[in-house]
Amino acid sequence: MSHQLALYATAMLLGAKLFFSFVVAPMVFANLPATTAAGFMRAIFPLYYSVTIVLALLAALAFAMAQDVLGVIVLGAIAALGLVSRQILLPRIEVWRAGKEAGDATATAKFRALHQASMLINMAQILGAAGLLFSFVL
């Protein structure tokens, strides 16, 4: 039973991350003015990261109850990376965004580097969850 819960929570996590990354975000930027789209994304990111953290922790707990060490490690890492993204990267990105919008070259470079780091973390989380799910199918 706990293995099923772990797999369902992991599948929900993966589905939410894929839907947000490849449907919601592109649709927002394609259909809203740039400033409105950016403001909407800034408002939704804390919730996005919170959902990632909660689902990953739920899945990790279920994997722990099923005594599945790989699942605990992968989902624990996904939760930890979500926490880093929400509590460290996101606030720093916002600090540098203001300078970027003011035309500061240093702020623009820092913003881009942190934004790229957050995108790489998001992709690593997606690949980790997908890899874990595929390991059970194969």
Side-chain angles (χ1 to χ4, degrees):
M1 178 69 161
S2 52
H3 232 125
Q4 283 181 318
L5 177 61
L7 294 175
Y8 291 149
T10 304
M12 286 174 47
L13 170 67
L14 179 60
K17 292 190 77 60
L18 288 172
F19 184 73
F20 181 81
S21 298
F22 296 104
V23 176
V24 173
M27 289 294 289
V28 166
F29 282 103
N31 291 290
L32 295 175
T35 55
T36 304
F40 175 79
M41 296 304 286
R42 280 194 303 275
I44 203 168
F45 269 127
L47 177 61
Y48 173 70
Y49 291 129
S50 293
V51 168
T52 295
I53 294 162
V54 168
L55 287 174
L57 287 175
L58 176 65
L61 178 61
F63 275 116
M65 291 180 350
Q67 299 180 348
D68 185 321
V69 176
L70 178 62
V72 172
I73 292 170
V74 171
L75 273 300
I78 290 171
L81 289 170
L83 191 61
V84 166
S85 295
R86 187 179 196 289
Q87 298 302 118
I88 297 172
L89 285 180
L90 193 57
R92 290 183 181 168
I93 287 170
E94 291 309 312
V95 166
W96 294 112
R97 179 186 310 279
K100 174 186 159 270
E101 290 171 355
D104 181 339
T106 300
T108 299
K110 298 244 183 197
F111 172 86
R112 286 185 179 152
L114 291 171
H115 185 261
Q116 185 173 28
S118 72
M119 290 178 9
L120 289 172
I121 287 172
N122 191 59
M123 188 54 64
Q125 290 170 317
I126 288 170
L127 292 174
L132 190 59
L133 287 175
F134 284 124
S135 75
F136 286 98
V137 174
L138 300 176

